[in-house]
Amino acid sequence: MIEKIKETVKKLFKENKIDIFIGYSEGTLPLRSTPCFITRSEDIEKLVWNSYCSNNLAVYLPRFFVSQRGAKDAKLPRIGILAKGCDGRSIVGLIKEHQIPRENIYIIGIHCGGMINTKKIKKVDIVAAEEKNDKVLVEDEDKKKVELKKEELLADMCKTCQYTAPAVYDILLGKEKQKTKKEDREAFIKEFEKKPLEERWEYFQEQISKCIRCNACRQACPNCYCKECFAEQAKPRWIGPTNDISDVMFYQIGRIFHQAGRCVDCGACVRACPMGVDLRVFTYKLIKDVKEFFEYEAGVSLEEAPPLATFKQDDKQEFITEP
Amino acid sequence: MKNDNNWEPKIVTFLCNWCSYAGADLAGVSRLQYPPNIRVIRVPCSGRVNPFYIIKVLQNGIDGVLVSGCHPGDCHYISGNLVARRKFALLKSFLEYIGIEPGRVQFSWVSAAEGGRFVDIIEKVTSEIKKLGPSKKLSKWQKEAEYIKEILK
Ligand code: SF4
Ligand code: SF4
Ligand code: SF4
């Protein structure tokens, strides 16, 4: 697979179709790949493709264009990007929200078999790792090798992922992956909804009290491209600079709510969080509601209008208070 | 304060200029009585109501929020209320999901001709929020307030 990717990227550079390519290269730690920006064909050899390419690369795209916006002689780079299903959906979102021009992005779509959540590996002293088919071999300091099943290490979002390849691409590599089992993707949300009100509040409070407002979740999210986030706005100042939990709650409700109809469940926010805040149980609620109320799924079509930028005459309104 | 028998909730209402605000006005000039718990903020359109306004109001210790606009189809700006309806549907569902009491944040449609309906809605909303008691969940300095109450007992 990686050879195919390299070949494609080589060709793109040779035919002068792109100025920069965003993919993954080997990370500094085992079980990690790191985003990599290639501008010369000599560097193509650095590229890797494995089960640790978790980062959502779409997050890097808007910043290539933001400085050129409104410029008279705007110089727009042509960017090639490797896109798993979720990256691809984020790219679609960014195109729809006019953050990146479609014609400047060359999307190399790839059928993704799911990424590993390294936190699921209980061993701490891993010095090397190797991937073989559906197994991961990890080696610890004493050179002891342990074989782990990839399936058991998959990230939660990958386990129930429905769009393993992007819907919009210029070229699609790899073989179609087996769709995840019919397992109910929303089961964990339904379960949470069933809990009594106070229990839900307890959980929300417990999670938010872990948050140190480092903003890593926001920085990792491809949809959070705002030049000035509400969190830093001073006029009006939405959030006080205190560590009172209500300020932290305001931040999280705001950030999560801003993802309504845009979140693709890529898990970048969850991975970025240093405090282990369970963000997904909240972000996914909005995915579920948007689908249920407005029959909309983020990032699967370029044509459909974003759900909060449009309406239907007969939209749900049972929640309206009647006398 | 909840055990204080004459506790009265404070409710902030966002009323759209063209319908609900005029409806409230009509209730006033018709000398219809309604609970004095509400504080009115006039907005050009229910679509102008940023969900953050609602959260901010709760953070400032207000006990409930009502947003009211023109009936669907009657919006002065044609579809402001319909776009707002989508936002509010998600917001209300989300706030309840994280554990905010369902009655705290409410939405309604009241036209400029419905002074009576305005009164009915305010009565209903006020009595519901009264039953819920003071809003604490999102309000600021709650822990400190409780602590002071505790030590001064
Ligand atoms: S909110 Fe989290 S899961 Fe959703 S798109 Fe942003 S980073 Fe991905
Ligand atoms: S949280 Fe909201 S305002 Fe802040 S960057 Fe994300 S989308 Fe923009
Ligand atoms: S990454 Fe985690 S700790 Fe940092 S702001 Fe987001 S939720 Fe809070």
Side-chain angles (χ1 to χ4, degrees):
Chain A
M1 179 53 59
I2 182 62
E3 287 315 315
K4 264 231 188 89
I5 297 174
K6 287 180 186 169
E7 211 177 281
T8 315
V9 179
K10 240 176 237 154
K11 208 163 143 234
L12 287 174
F13 272 112
K14 209 161 144 216
E15 292 171 1
N16 190 21
K17 282 199 177 137
I18 56 171
D19 304 307
I20 185 162
F21 182 78
I22 312 179
Y24 302 92
S25 63
E26 207 171 304
T28 44
L29 293 169
L31 296 166
R32 300 247 191 244
S33 298
T34 186
C36 144
F37 300 79
I38 291 177
T39 49
R40 310 175 302 178
S41 42
E42 300 94 275
D43 292 337
I44 293 174
E45 281 312 311
K46 285 189 195 159
L47 287 173
V48 299
W49 171 248
N50 49 37
S51 295
Y52 342 122
C53 297
S54 321
N55 295 56
N56 187 335
L57 297 179
V59 71
Y60 300 111
L61 290 176
R63 61 190 72 174
F64 283 101
F65 301 98
V66 68
S67 65
Q68 301 298 310
R69 205 168 296 152
K72 241 209 223 117
D73 50 349
K75 286 204 174 50
L76 302 182
R78 296 159 305 162
I79 304 175
I81 185 168
L82 188 67
K84 311 183 287 294
C86 46
D87 309 47
R89 290 174 68 195
S90 297
I91 294 172
V92 168
L94 291 169
I95 295 170
K96 277 212 268 205
E97 292 174 20
H98 307 292
Q99 296 306 310
I100 55 176
R102 171 70 185 99
E103 58 282 6
N104 283 55
I105 311 289
Y106 192 96
I107 306 170
I108 302 185
I110 188 158
H111 283 290
C112 171
M115 292 295 147
I116 284 172
N117 176 355
T118 44
K119 287 184 191 133
K120 287 195 182 171
I121 303 176
K122 293 289 175 294
K123 292 183 75 62
V124 281
D125 54 349
I126 297 168
V127 292
E130 193 187 350
E131 200 182 345
K132 267 192 189 147
N133 299 321
D134 54 351
K135 301 244 165 47
V136 181
L137 277 168
V138 294
E139 196 183 307
D140 65 13
E141 275 165 353
D142 312 325
K143 299 248 179 259
K144 235 182 32 214
K145 282 195 181 176
V146 187
E147 202 180 76
L148 302 164
K149 272 203 196 119
K150 195 180 140 187
E151 203 186 326
E152 285 162 13
L153 303 177
L154 278 187
D156 290 347
M157 21 265 151
C158 299
K159 267 201 253 165
T160 55
C161 177
Q162 251 192 28
Y163 300 98
T164 51
V168 177
Y169 53 80
D170 295 288
I171 182 171
L172 186 60
L173 304 179
K175 269 203 250 51
E176 185 161 0
K177 292 289 181 317
Q178 193 187 336
K179 278 261 151 29
T180 34
K181 289 135 255 150
K182 281 207 203 66
E183 178 183 353
D184 189 352
R185 314 177 64 213
E186 295 170 347
F188 72 114
I189 300 294
K190 288 181 188 153
E191 203 179 297
F192 193 81
E193 281 168 348
K194 269 193 239 133
K195 291 187 181 164
L197 189 83
E198 290 311 315
E199 220 175 280
R200 300 204 297 272
W201 176 249
E202 273 307 307
Y203 190 75
F204 180 68
Q205 230 179 348
E206 185 190 302
Q207 293 306 313
I208 298 306
S209 62
K210 288 196 261 179
C211 172
I212 53 171
R213 260 170 77 187
C214 68
N215 294 339
C217 47
R218 180 188 73 188
Q219 298 312 115
C221 178
N223 296 328
C224 277
Y225 51 70
C226 304
K227 275 198 251 176
E228 191 186 347
C229 173
F230 79 94
E232 278 104 30
Q233 260 171 6
K235 278 182 181 178
R237 184 192 227 143
W238 296 110
I239 313 178
T242 75
N243 63 356
D244 186 78
I245 191 161
S246 80
D247 278 328
V248 189
M249 283 173 175
F250 200 133
Y251 171 67
Q252 282 302 343
I253 295 173
R255 191 197 74 83
I256 293 167
F257 197 71
H258 275 183
Q259 299 311 326
R262 308 164 71 215
C263 177
V264 298
D265 195 31
C266 67
C269 49
V270 180
R271 280 190 301 272
C273 180
M275 305 307 290
V277 177
D278 181 6
L279 295 166
R280 189 169 178 242
V281 74
F282 306 114
T283 51
Y284 208 97
K285 164 67 175 167
L286 281 160
I287 297 185
K288 175 174 179 277
D289 277 357
V290 165
K291 195 167 165 201
E292 209 169 287
F293 298 174
F294 316 129
E295 290 153 15
Y296 181 92
E297 274 185 288
V300 295
S301 107
L302 274 174
E303 290 76 34
E304 232 179 318
L308 289 180
T310 182
F311 59 87
K312 283 199 188 107
Q313 294 295 339
D314 58 349
D315 273 332
K316 170 190 163 76
Q317 69 159 13
E318 301 89 71
F319 69 95
I320 298 284
T321 302
E322 295 291 335
Chain B
M1 262 182 278
K2 195 178 179 177
N3 34 22
D4 190 349
N5 285 337
N6 33 33
W7 172 78
E8 287 289 336
K10 280 200 190 92
I11 301 167
V12 164
T13 62
F14 293 97
L15 308 181
C16 88
N17 182 44
W18 306 99
C19 294
S20 296
Y21 190 84
D25 218 16
L26 181 65
V29 294
S30 316
R31 305 234 178 273
L32 300 175
Q33 282 286 335
Y34 58 83
N37 303 63
I38 65 165
R39 313 287 187 272
V40 176
I41 297 177
R42 179 164 61 160
V43 286
C45 175
S46 53
R48 177 64 184 89
V49 178
N50 184 334
F52 286 2
Y53 293 176
I54 297 167
I55 304 165
K56 196 75 194 164
V57 161
L58 293 174
Q59 200 195 17
N60 283 340
I62 297 295
D63 303 301
V65 186
L66 170 73
V67 179
S68 190
C70 311
H71 286 272
D74 290 349
C75 177
H76 185 77
Y77 308 101
I78 299 168
S79 56
N81 56 353
L82 297 178
V83 174
R85 184 168 64 180
R86 287 201 155 192
K87 250 187 308 194
F88 296 155
L90 287 178
L91 182 70
K92 195 161 158 59
S93 168
F94 188 69
L95 289 179
E96 289 172 25
Y97 182 78
I98 64 170
I100 308 295
E101 305 88 344
R104 277 289 171 219
V105 178
Q106 305 205 25
F107 304 94
S108 69
W109 309 133
V110 174
S111 83
E114 295 175 324
R117 181 180 160 96
F118 180 78
V119 171
D120 294 344
I121 283 178
I122 297 303
E123 274 172 354
K124 183 170 176 189
V125 169
T126 308
S127 86
E128 273 180 29
I129 292 172
K130 214 167 178 171
K131 257 186 243 143
L132 290 175
S135 169
K136 290 193 171 147
K137 287 185 172 164
L138 285 174
S139 82
K140 205 161 175 174
W141 306 128
Q142 204 48 52
K143 290 223 161 63
E144 287 75 0
E146 264 158 40
Y147 177 67
I148 288 170
K149 214 161 95 188
E150 189 64 35
I151 56 172
L152 294 184
K153 209 157 50 188

